[in-house]
Amino acid sequence: LHLSIRRQRQMCIRDRDKDAFEQKLVDDGYKVKVFKITDGDCYELYGWNEEGKKVEIYYDPVTGETLKTEIKD
């Protein structure tokens, strides 16, 4: 399976930006257990928010918009 050059570039940019996005979350007070790229190309955070509650959050990697949030007590 050959990926188009455009798709390869998108993947490289996404992977490079992932580290910066993860650092922003840490700077915003999140404790990161796992931060990964899903099969659907979203960023997914497993960790704790600034209040110490366990969270699972999905982000759009292009806009940074939160797509889904689950907070556990």
Side-chain angles (χ1 to χ4, degrees), residues 2-18:
H2 296 287
L3 296 174
S4 71
I5 291 174
R6 181 177 177 199
R7 179 68 177 145
Q8 289 174 4
R9 285 186 184 145
Q10 287 173 336
M11 290 173 67
C12 290
I13 291 168
R14 181 195 68 188
D15 289 343
R16 183 184 69 228
D17 291 346
K18 175 186 167 284

Side-chain angles (χ1 to χ4, degrees), residues 21-61:
F21 196 89
E22 181 178 358
Q23 184 58 53
K24 181 186 178 312
L25 293 173
V26 170
D27 293 345
D28 289 346
Y30 287 91
K31 291 175 109 178
V32 177
K33 179 177 181 181
V34 175
F35 188 73
K36 64 181 186 173
I37 299 171
T38 67
D39 290 338
D41 289 335
C42 293
Y43 292 154
E44 183 177 16
L45 164 71
Y46 291 94
W48 296 265
N49 64 15
E50 59 278 355
E51 299 167 355
K53 294 184 178 181
K54 196 179 256 191
V55 295
E56 179 180 342
I57 307 174
Y58 293 83
Y59 298 94
D60 181 308

